[in-house]
């Protein structure tokens, strides 16, 4: 590895170094503020290192990682989202646990995994990044020292993720058996001209493993249980970083290896997209628990993402990236509000709609912020959500996938109902005694930033679009040359 | 060698079936160790002696011991055994068995269709593996170390209270 | 020794399927973890077979990485089992159903 | 200098944001400074931009603020377009808007919602400016909906009284009916022409479409629907009289001077499109003529001072539609501007009267205010004279005269339109001076409270001045003028050709027009001042009373809609409660509910079942993707 390689990897190295630093600080003295502060500083340093790494890219760092603008963009997105999660976590943990320090260590390790994932260019780094992410999440989900639901959620996640990993690895082994290489770029060259059954079986098993982590129908069933059982900031992390990183990698894998030329697989993904959009929204329809509503809605949103993904062209990269920017910001804000409003008792996991009854009259700013988030999720114009959905439709229309667009429209229509239902509840006249929760300042900061982001760039999206387009460099154009 | 391959395959499959179906957890673990040893021999016949050694040392050794240790700690007695028996009625196996059979059939069909590629097994020894592992895969080793660190920290945090004892939530009156 | 790719893969597919049956049928959480180990091991075997076909070390390296994953996963998984025993007072995975709907 | 254009809508918008976000935390003085100041600065910016516009030879100027997004072929831009037409409209909105804001600073001083009032008013001005300056129909729609929202909020400003809320809702729904048509028309245009930029759109339309063919007729009709709703023309006119429930400055700004004339502006803006749809042009002219007559009759018998003015507004907009319909676009815009002056004046003066009489609206209980409120009287008289087109000295004479002339002389016009306009002019004189006589002349009936202070007096005075001198801008050649306004707009709005031979009878037509308006005024003095017993006699007959009731209720359109549309619809809905229509809707709801329950039932919480689902999914997937 040359110095340039280290420079290119410096954002990831920064995060990994911070993880080690936090571990050492715990060894010296346990202090919540120190651990949290170190984490924030480390993440900021990593974000700053992006600027440093940018001139060095694109570069292939050992066979395992391709650091290009695409990777750096997503690393930046992951780091920013993680920063948001940390800001929401501090207040949450301070009230609930007496040993919060390892939380940050695990969060940083998960972030290293996510960053490695988006830069992965080979099966080994693909799978290690994914497993590092999951391994840290198992412990994070079960982090609270009391209560039954966190353990239940973590065990469910561990068992199913283990099985999904087995599927993923078996699929990788089959592809390796067929092609004799683990590197994405080489696969494109040696792929048989006619699709081979072994190849398709391997790809299918990989997609089952990935599909589980992305929570798309029919591999979605764990989502609401884990979202509900996990501590709210961890749920925010699961819903945003772990899905966004994997989706970005999936797109890279598909385009770089020309896997999209396996027609039956693409057809199958189309059906999965339709099923996710419809089932996700239907499941959320009358759901009384807000965390579960968001979980089901995230299933639907992954369906929308798949619609953009299936355009499998230049527009797909742009649309997926834009949608992910929107999705990560919005879900982070949504679970940030859930975090702020979480109870501290034994029923911390559950968050029924009644917690939001008349919220506007108690805490107008929080309610306004949540309204913006929900409207963005519903795709109302003048929020980023509208543009994101619009992008998806344009990408799908480019491929003339009218069936997918139809399902998207139906799904969005159903979605409108349950988003607005929460909004309506927030503006009802309050009844009975009401407690006002004052969000701690880091959480407030993050919420304000996210709300302004969603509305501001909904009205003036030019900078975001420009940034997204800059994430696509000449090396991504190479992916788009028809393979096989 | 061909005979050994088939023989150890048969042992591995049989031992795994037994491992999955045994009522007593310790019995199951013992059958699993047998299965893992058979798989290690398979590795050897496939020209992977280093992997075979690791299979014995880490899988059959360390990981299984971890299982046994936890089983001992939880002190699963006669009651647990009876419960297992009640759970494992024959009809429990029908659904999963059929499902797995269909999946297996599909996979075997595909595997049989496309992979009649005879090849000469060349032994890839420890030096070759080591050179590759610490050459191009050096960063993978680093990542794997972080995976283990995450596992360690997670297990430490989660196991802490269990070791310290304390009241069991499940026994509290609801 | 001459071998055929399909045979090795067939054995690993068999082991994978048996592991899956165990995952779906067993209610004892420890046995569920065992089943997952079997499935991961089957994937490792498939990698060794594929590596042998191409005469490369990559297959064995993937196996080693899977081994590391399996070790870490078992340690966290068993720690969670201990917590489950403490907080749910049972090892029945079907008892884990507070979260549903 | 032309860059100042962006500030014109931006400043009121900023004012709105500050006032809205402060949530009533500011003191009244600060609110007034922000609310009035933002519009005042917008006026300054408008003057600066206009000066720049002139310096560059009055060439159309486009200012691109930013491209909202750019996905494939869809590239909507936030872009302003300044030409003669939008300059006039911008001037009216900022100028009259500023004066009314100034007036409101005093008029609303005792109101609880002072800050809220100015926030909404600023929002309105910003939206209205976006509407008139928009260079594409999408941005125009944003302004269009913005003014609708502000109008809704301001009609229902005193929401404590449920009647006001109902009036607001009525206005919202009636205009919404037109807006739906408008949006569909927008989609038709985008679908057919591939752009929403107004200039490109008109150019493309003229290149692709044959005059009188289907698409321009359809698009023109749909857009007209929006214009009719906004401008309170038949058959969507019924909301305007009820909209008087809002504070008087709101009536002056939104429901007289600016928003209600947005339809006129829209038609003039898209005149190139309407030139391709002669059938729709004729329809516009007919609607304008009928509306102007019907509402003039209705104005004749109203007893609420604001409702008289509301019906008169409808009538005057009818004139503008008539002008648009016969292709006299610049005449329509000239009347739009002059009308804004004198109608704002009338409303502001009426507001002063209402306030002086402790919120009294009924003209039957007014009278003799000439001596008590001389300033208001003279101002109101000037406004009324302009409204009745009092010859030569008022601006209203010149603007209405131009419309009458064009209605006769244009190839699209004819004697029937001219006659309708002439009768309307006669009626205008009649009802206007009935109002003035009832309110200001005769014996005094009550004591007055507060007189307008200088903040209210200055706007009234300025508007009175404008109502007189405004006419100087466009004195026709017959009276030795240069018709500068028409020439100025000729770049944007082409002058109408004349039918052969009409020049010769121009003096005769003028004489008739002067006669009609003077006749109406004279008759008003005769009937309402000197011989009121005649009116009473007619009213006491059965037929007269019925007619008065009928006109008083605005020709009973409300009853008609209530009876024919609303009740029929409600009855039909009741009858069909269990019928197939509901069954369809219920079916969708039930279906969704069922699917939800079904899927929810799959979420058992059992991890083994979840794993089973993964395995089942894998099986299905293999069948689908591998073995097919």
């Amino acid at each position: 590895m040359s110095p340039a390689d280290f420079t290119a990897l410096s954002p990831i190295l920064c995060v990994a170094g911070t993880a080690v630093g936090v571990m050492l600080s715990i060894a010296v003295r346990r202090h919540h503020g120190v651990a949290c502060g170190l984490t924030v500083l480390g993440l900021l340093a990593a974000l700053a290192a992006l600027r440093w790494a940018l001139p060095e890219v694109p570069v292939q760092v050992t066979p395992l990682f391709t650091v290009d603008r695409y990777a750096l963009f997503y690393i930046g997105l992951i780091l920013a989202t993680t920063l948001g999660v940390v800001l929401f976590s501090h207040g949450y943990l301070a009230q609930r646990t007496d040993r919060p320090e390892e939380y940050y260590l695990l969060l940083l390790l998960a972030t290293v995994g996510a960053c490695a994932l988006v830069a992965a260019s080979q099966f080994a780094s693909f799978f290690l990044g994914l497993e590092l992410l999951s391994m840290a999440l198992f412990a994070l989900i079960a982090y609270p020292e009391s209560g039954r639901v966190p353990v239940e959620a973590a065990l469910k996640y561990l068992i199913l993720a283990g099985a999904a990993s087995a599927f993923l690895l078996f699929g990788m082994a089959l592809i390796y058996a067929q092609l004799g290489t683990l590197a994405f770029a080489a696969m494109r060259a040696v792929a048989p001209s006619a699709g081979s059954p072994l190849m398709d079986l391997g790809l299918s098993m990989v997609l089952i493993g990935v599909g589980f982590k992305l929570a798309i129908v029919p591999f979605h069933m764990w989502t609401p249980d884990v979202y509900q059982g996990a501590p709210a900031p961890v749920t925010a992390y699961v819903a945003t970083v772990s899905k966004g990183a994997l989706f970005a990698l999936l797109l890279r894998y598909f385009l770089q290896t020309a896997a999209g030329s396996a027609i039956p697989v693409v057809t199958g993904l189309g059906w999965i997209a339709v099923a996710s959009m419809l089932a996700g929204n239907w499941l959320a329809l009358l759901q009384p628990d807000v965390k579960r509503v968001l979980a089901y809605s995230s299933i639907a949103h992954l369906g929308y993402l798949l619609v953009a993904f299936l355009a499998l062209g230049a527009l797909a990269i742009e649309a997926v990236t834009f949608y992910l920017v929107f999705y990560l910001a919005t879900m982070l804000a949504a679970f940030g509000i859930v975090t702020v409003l979480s109870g501290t008792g034994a029923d911390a996991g559950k968050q029924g709609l009644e917690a939001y009854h008349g919220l506007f009259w108690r805490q107008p700013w929080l309610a306004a912020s949540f309204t913006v988030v929900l409207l963005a999720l519903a795709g109302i114009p003048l929020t980023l959500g509208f543009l994101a959905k619009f992008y998806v439709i344009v990408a799908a229309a480019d491929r003339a996938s009218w069936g997918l667009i139809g399902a998207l429209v139906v799904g969005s229509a159903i979605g409108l109902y349950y988003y607005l239902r929460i909004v309506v509840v927030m503006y009802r006249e309050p009844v009975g005694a009401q407690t006002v929760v004052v969000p701690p300042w880091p959480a407030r900061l993050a919420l304000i930033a996210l709300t302004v982001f969603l509305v501001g760039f909904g009205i003036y999206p030019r900078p975001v679009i420009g940034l997204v387009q800059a994430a696509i460099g000449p090396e991504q154009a190479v992916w788009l040359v028809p393979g096989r | 060698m061909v005979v050994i391959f088939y023989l150890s395959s048969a042992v591995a499959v049989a031992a795994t079936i037994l491992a999955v179906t045994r009522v007593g957890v310790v019995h199951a673990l013992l059958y699993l160790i047998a299965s893992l040893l058979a798989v290690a021999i398979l590795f050897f016949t496939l020209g992977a002696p280093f992997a075979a050694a690791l299979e014995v040392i880490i899988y059959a050794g360390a990981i299984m011991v971890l299982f046994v240790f936890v089983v001992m700690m939880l002190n699963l007695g006669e009651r647990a055994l009876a419960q297992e028996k009640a759970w494992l009625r024959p009809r429990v196996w029908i659904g999963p068995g059929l499902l797995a059979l269909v999946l297996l059939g599909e996979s075997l069909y595909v595997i049989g269709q496309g992979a009649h590629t005879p090849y000469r097994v060349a032994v890839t020894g420890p030096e070759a593996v080591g050179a590759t592992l610490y050459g191009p895969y050096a960063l993978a080793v680093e990542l794997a170390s972080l995976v283990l660190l995450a596992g360690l920290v997670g297990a430490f945090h989660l196991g802490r209270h269990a070791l310290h004892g304390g009241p069991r939530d499940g026994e509290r009156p609801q | 020794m001459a071998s055929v790719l399909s045979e090795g893969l067939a054995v690993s597919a068999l082991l994978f399927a048996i592991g899956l049956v165990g995952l779906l049928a067993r209610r004892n959480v420890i046995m569920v973890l065992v089943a997952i180990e079997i499935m991961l091991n089957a994937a490792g075997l498939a990698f060794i077979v594929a590596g042998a076909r191409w005469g490369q070390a990559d297959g064995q390296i993937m196996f080693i990485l899977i081994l590391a994953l399996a070790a870490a996963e078992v340690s966290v998984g068993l720690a969670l089992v201990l917590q489950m025993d403490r907080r749910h007072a049972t090892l029945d995975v079907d008892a884990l159903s507070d979260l549903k709907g | 200098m032309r860059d100042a254009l962006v500030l014109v809508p931006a400043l009121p918008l900023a004012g709105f944001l500050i006032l809205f976000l402060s949530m009533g935390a500011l003191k009244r003085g600060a609110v007034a400074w922000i609310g009035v100041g933002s519009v005042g600065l917008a006026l300054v910016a408008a003057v600066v931009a206009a000066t720049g516009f002139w310096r560059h030879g009055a060439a159309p100027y486009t200012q691109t603020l930013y491209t909202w997004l750019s996905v494939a072929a869809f590239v909507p831009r936030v872009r302003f377009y300044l030409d003669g037409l939008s300059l006039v409209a911008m001037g009216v909105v900022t100028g009259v808007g500023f004066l009314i804001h100034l007036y409101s600073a005093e008029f609303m001083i005792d109101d609880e919602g002072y800050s809220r009032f100015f926030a909404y008013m600023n929002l309105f001005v910003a939206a209205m400016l976006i509407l008139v300056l928009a260079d594409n129909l999408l941005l125009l729609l944003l302004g269009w909906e913005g003014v609708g929202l502000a109008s809704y909020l301001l009609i229902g400003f005193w929401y404590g009284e449920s009647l006001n809320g109902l009036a607001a809702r009525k206005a919202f729904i009636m205009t919404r009916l037109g807006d739906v048509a408008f949006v569909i028309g927008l989609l038709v245009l985008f679908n057919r022409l591939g752009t929403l930029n107004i200039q490109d759109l008109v150019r493309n339309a003229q290149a692709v479409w044959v005059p009188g063919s289907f698409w321009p007729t359809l698009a023109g009709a749909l857009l007209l629907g929006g214009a009719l709703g906004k401008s309170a023309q038949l058959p969507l006119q019924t909301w305007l009289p009820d909209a008087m429930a809002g504070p008087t400055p709101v009536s002056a700004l939104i429901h007289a001077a600016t928003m209600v004339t947005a339809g006129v502006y829209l038609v003039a803006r898209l005149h190139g499109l309407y030139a391709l749809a002669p059938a729709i042009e004729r329809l516009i002219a007919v609607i304008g003529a009928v509306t102007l007559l019907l509402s003039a009759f209705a104005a004749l018998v109203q007893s609420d001072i604001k409702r008289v003015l509301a019906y008169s507004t409808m009538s005057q907009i009818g004139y503008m539609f008539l002008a648009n319909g016969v292709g006299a676009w610049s005449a329509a815009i000239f009347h739009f501007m002059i009308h804004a002056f004198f109608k704002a004046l009338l409303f502001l003066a009426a507001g002063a009267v209402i306030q002086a009489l402790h919120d009294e609206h009924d003209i039957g209980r007014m009278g003799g205010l000439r001596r008590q409120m001389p300033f208001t009287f003279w101002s109101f008289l000037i406004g009324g004279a302009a409204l009745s087109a009092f010859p030569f000295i008022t601006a209203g004479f010149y603007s209405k005269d131009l419309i009458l002339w064009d209605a006769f002389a244009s190839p699209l016009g004819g004697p029937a339109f001219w006659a309708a306009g002439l009768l309307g002019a006669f009626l205008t004189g009649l009802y206007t001076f009935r109002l003035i006589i009832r309110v200001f002349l005769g014996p005094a009936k009550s004591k007055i409270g507060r007189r307008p202070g200088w903040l209210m007096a200055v706007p009234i005075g300025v508007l009175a001045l404008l109502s007189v001198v405004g006419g100087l801008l466009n004195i026709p050649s017959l009276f030795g003028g240069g018709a500068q306004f028409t020439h100025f707009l000729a770049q944007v709005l082409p002058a109408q050709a004349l039918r052969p031979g009409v020049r010769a009878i121009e003096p005769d037509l003028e004489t008739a027009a002067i006669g009609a308006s003077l006749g109406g005024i004279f008759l008003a003095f005769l009937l309402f001042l000197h011989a009121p017993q005649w009116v009473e006699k007619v009213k006491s007959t059965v037929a007269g009373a019925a007619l008065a009731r009928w006109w008083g209720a605005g020709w009973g359109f409300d009853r008609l809609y209530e009876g024919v549309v609303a009740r029929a619809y409600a009855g039909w809905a009741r009858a069909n409660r269990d019928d197939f229509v509901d069954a369809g809707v219920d079916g969708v709801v039930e279906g969704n509910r069922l699917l939800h329950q079904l899927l929810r039932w799959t979420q058992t919480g059992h991890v083994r079942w979840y794993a089973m689902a993964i395995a089942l999914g894998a099986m299905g997937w293999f069948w689908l993707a591998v073995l097919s």
Side-chain angles (χ1 to χ4, degrees), chain D residues 498-568:
Chain D
L498 298 182
R499 281 190 296 156
V502 288
R503 266 296 167 211
I505 56 167
E506 194 179 355
D508 304 334
L509 296 176
E510 290 295 350
T511 313
I514 294 170
S517 90
L518 286 180
I521 296 170
F522 174 74
L523 190 63
F525 276 102
L526 191 67
L527 285 182
F528 300 111
L529 196 62
H530 294 286
Q533 65 275 19
W534 293 358
V535 180
E536 292 308 317
K537 202 172 282 173
V538 175
K539 260 192 172 172
S540 58
T541 67
V542 177
L547 204 62
R549 258 205 317 280
W550 192 27
W551 289 354
W555 296 84
F557 273 95
D558 277 330
R559 297 276 299 272
L560 181 74
Y561 290 164
E562 171 76 32
V564 176
V565 184
R567 193 168 300 160

Side-chain angles (χ1 to χ4, degrees), chain D residues 435-461:
Chain D
L435 181 65
I436 291 173
I437 289 163
R438 283 275 163 87
V439 175
F440 291 100
L441 304 182
K445 292 184 182 165
S446 53
K447 279 205 180 304
I448 64 160
R450 70 189 266 195
R451 270 176 247 263
W454 71 270
L455 274 180
M456 278 165 71
V458 167
I460 292 176

Side-chain angles (χ1 to χ4, degrees), chain B residues 43 50 56 86 111 139 143 151-152 156:
Chain B
F43 287 0
F50 184 53
V56 174
I111 290 168
L139 284 174
L143 270 182
L152 182 71
F156 167 72

Side-chain angles (χ1 to χ4, degrees), chain A residues 156 204 221 225 282 458-459 461, chain D residues 66 68 592 596 603 605 610 621:
Chain A
K156 278 180 176 170
S204 300
M221 293 199 170
D225 295 5
W282 272 323
I459 296 168
Chain D
Y66 63 86
W68 188 37
N592 278 319
H596 165 76
Q603 297 283 346
Y610 293 179
W621 176 266

Side-chain angles (χ1 to χ4, degrees), chain C residues 47-92:
Chain C
F47 264 112
I48 297 284
V49 173
R53 180 202 171 170
W54 298 102
Q56 292 169 343
D58 300 55
Q60 293 190 47
I61 285 169
M62 284 301 282
F63 169 76
I64 293 168
L65 297 176
I66 292 172
L67 211 56
L69 161 71
E73 187 155 328
V74 162
S75 60
V76 176
L78 288 174
L80 277 171
V81 169
L82 294 180
Q83 286 289 346
M84 180 182 173
D85 182 58
R86 197 170 78 86
R87 299 190 201 178
H88 294 252
T90 174
L91 293 181
D92 179 9

Side-chain angles (χ1 to χ4, degrees), chain A residues 386-404:
Chain A
F386 170 74
L387 296 170
K389 212 164 262 177
F390 186 74
Y391 242 120
V392 170
I393 290 177
V394 170
D398 198 43
R399 273 255 169 159
S401 321
W402 304 118
L404 292 178

Side-chain angles (χ1 to χ4, degrees), chain D residues 156-236:
Chain D
F157 182 73
W158 289 310
Y159 56 85
E161 250 182 74
S162 63
L163 228 52
N164 295 346
L166 285 180
R169 209 174 64 189
K170 183 174 176 186
F172 199 67
I173 291 172
M174 292 303 280
T175 52
R176 190 43 45 112
L177 284 177
D179 289 358
V180 171
F182 182 81
V183 171
I184 296 173
L186 217 80
L187 294 175
V188 167
L189 283 174
F190 184 66
N191 184 261
R192 289 281 120 194
L193 301 174
T195 179
L196 284 178
N197 179 297
I198 293 170
Q199 308 304 318
D200 295 347
L201 186 126
V202 171
R203 212 173 303 123
N204 287 3
Q206 281 166 344
V208 197
W209 286 337
V210 183
S213 61
F214 174 71
W215 288 109
T217 309
L218 177 70
L222 288 168
L223 293 181
L224 178 65
L228 293 179
K230 240 343 144 226
S231 291
Q233 298 291 293
L234 276 171
L236 298 175

